[in-house]
Amino acid sequence: MLASAGRRLFTRGFATKAIGVDGFTGAVGNTPLIYLKGLSKRTGAHIYGKAEFQNPGGSVKDRAALGVIRDAEDSGRLKPGGTVVEGTAGNTGIGLAHVCRSRGYKCVIFMPENQSQEKIDLLRMLGAEVHPVPAVAYDNPKNYNHLARDYAESKPNTVWTDQFDNTANAYAHYISTGPEIWEQTKGDLDGFICATGTGGSLAGIGKYLKEKSGGKTQIWLADPPGSVLHSYVTSGGKLNERSGSSITEGIGQGRITKNLGTFVNDLSGAIHIPDEKSIAMVYEMLDSEGLYIGASSALNVVAAVELAQKLGPGKTVATLICDGAYRYQTRLFSKKWLKAKGLDSAVPEHLKKYAVLD
């Protein structure tokens, strides 16, 4: 079985086979697939996490950033010395800032002001011009996405990459992440699940895996509180008004983006994951697997466990470990923050030793 061969199939040394790659962009992708042994043993399934935190910019969003910039270059919309503008909760902006630095573009980011300070600081250290703005609904003209669009339209040689509705995002995953997962599991994959913000990862990966498996691989959506996507999928297409909120960043949605719209009707199902489970998994993954992951990654792992339980023993399930906890550590490992959010009791007693920040 795949699990018994997991350590052999997916072992990777400290050096890659390639002598070198072409700069930052050449290092994007080809991340390892990690066998999560503790969770696999608990469920009797084979659970894997795609280590997207090993992309050079530290997250899965490096792929989308490179994809939308290449699309703008190929279409002639972005010319040498130009400016790239995006509205982002953080990781896409970080990926864009890296790609822009490597390719000689200016980067301007509009983002909700409620995002972690670590991400805002990192964007500025990478040379991006950052505009934190009030977090308002998408239908409000002051939403960060609309402000990014308006800014781009007012400047010459400036492109709004439009990560939510530019399907070059999903295509980047269709030609890279999906094929990598298929190859790494040798086509023995029963289910894939992840959360979505723009919809690019889920739609691109899902489309590839569904096509390649002839429909055998089930593709599921994982959704945090405050998002309407779980109810949309489970109700057969009813789009409820958004309510509530989540401590996760960059996932959940109040609408069907164009990226998600390319695949949403082909989803096998959806699973709602409360914040308490995501927080508990952040600490469990650190303790049992040595993996220091963010809350959205932890949500994906929780969802993979629940999907594995639905599919049954012996099945193989994969998800994305989107990024590490480094960009959220002053929150996730802060006793004060956890208590303020009512999440201190979500951390198992024997794991509270990791909450070392006051």
Side-chain angles (χ1 to χ4, degrees):
M1 294 300 295
L2 190 58
S4 63
R7 294 183 183 87
R8 183 180 72 254
L9 286 175
F10 305 130
T11 294
R12 192 176 79 158
F14 288 107
T16 63
K17 293 179 181 179
I19 295 174
V21 295
D22 185 14
F24 177 93
T25 58
V28 174
N30 292 311
T31 58
L33 194 66
I34 300 175
Y35 177 56
L36 304 179
K37 56 185 183 298
L39 299 175
S40 296
K41 182 177 180 180
R42 182 194 309 172
T43 59
H46 316 309
I47 301 176
Y48 295 89
K50 183 83 163 136
E52 289 299 286
F53 58 86
Q54 290 200 11
N55 279 303
S59 87
V60 67
K61 293 298 187 177
D62 289 359
R63 297 181 190 259
L66 181 56
V68 294
I69 285 182
R70 279 180 172 165
D71 177 68
E73 291 172 337
D74 292 345
S75 67
R77 293 179 294 123
L78 182 59
K79 297 176 175 61
T83 299
V84 171
V85 184
E86 185 56 273
T88 167
N91 277 336
T92 301
I94 291 166
L96 286 170
H98 275 291
V99 176
C100 284
R101 289 268 42 82
S102 72
R103 294 169 99 88
Y105 303 122
K106 180 182 177 182
C107 184
V108 178
I109 300 297
F110 287 80
M111 68 188 304
E113 61 187 3
N114 60 358
Q115 300 304 292
S116 69
Q117 190 62 42
E118 289 97 328
K119 287 197 284 191
I120 296 173
D121 291 343
L122 177 56
L123 280 165
R124 287 175 171 153
M125 285 186 280
L126 291 171
E129 179 182 314
V130 184
H131 299 269
V133 298
V136 297
Y138 183 79
D139 57 7
N140 187 315
K142 296 297 184 181
N143 177 273
Y144 64 102
N145 291 292
H146 305 324
L147 293 175
R149 176 201 62 207
D150 294 345
Y151 179 95
E153 290 177 350
S154 71
K155 306 288 184 180
N157 195 16
T158 299
V159 171
W160 173 45
T161 44
D162 190 13
Q163 61 165 328
F164 290 89
D165 294 317
N166 180 354
T167 56
N169 176 349
Y171 183 69
H173 290 283
Y174 179 80
I175 63 172
S176 69
T177 329
E180 289 172 29
I181 292 172
W182 183 258
E183 180 181 357
Q184 289 169 320
T185 58
K186 297 187 179 297
D188 182 14
L189 183 63
D190 299 289
F192 174 82
I193 187 167
C194 72
T196 186
T198 66
S201 298
L202 183 62
I205 296 168
K207 180 177 172 61
Y208 182 87
L209 294 176
K210 200 92 169 185
E211 289 177 357
K212 197 69 176 177
S213 70
K216 172 183 174 290
T217 303
Q218 294 189 25
I219 311 298
W220 286 62
L221 163 78
D223 216 27
S227 176
V228 304
L229 300 180
H230 173 265
S231 63
Y232 180 89
V233 174
T234 56
S235 69
K238 183 179 179 182
L239 193 61
N240 296 323
E241 188 172 341
R242 193 170 191 171
S243 63
S245 62
S246 172
I247 55 93
T248 57
E249 298 184 20
I251 58 173
Q253 190 53 264
R255 66 187 180 97
I256 305 300
T257 65
K258 287 185 179 178
N259 278 292
L260 184 58
T262 64
F263 190 74
V264 68
N265 293 328
D266 295 311
L267 287 168
S268 303
I271 299 176
H272 174 79
I273 306 296
D275 284 346
E276 290 79 3
K277 289 186 177 181
S278 298
I279 286 291
M281 187 59 77
V282 167
Y283 283 76
E284 181 178 347
M285 290 290 282
L286 176 58
D287 187 69
S288 65
E289 302 285 350
L291 293 173
Y292 191 58
I293 67 175
S296 58
S297 298
L299 181 148
N300 281 349
V301 174
V302 173
V305 170
E306 296 194 9
L307 179 57
Q309 291 169 332
K310 286 178 181 292
L311 298 182
K315 300 298 185 181
T316 299
V317 174
T319 191
L320 300 180
I321 303 179
C322 315
D323 63 2
Y326 302 97
R327 294 169 185 175
Y328 321 94
Q329 60 191 16
T330 56
R331 297 182 180 189
L332 296 178
F333 294 91
S334 162
K335 292 187 284 287
K336 182 179 179 181
W337 184 85
L338 288 167
K339 187 173 183 179
K341 294 295 182 181
L343 293 170
D344 50 329
S345 61
V347 181
E349 199 63 37
H350 70 289
L351 300 182
K352 288 185 177 179
K353 61 186 178 182
Y354 294 114
V356 297
L357 304 179
D358 293 328

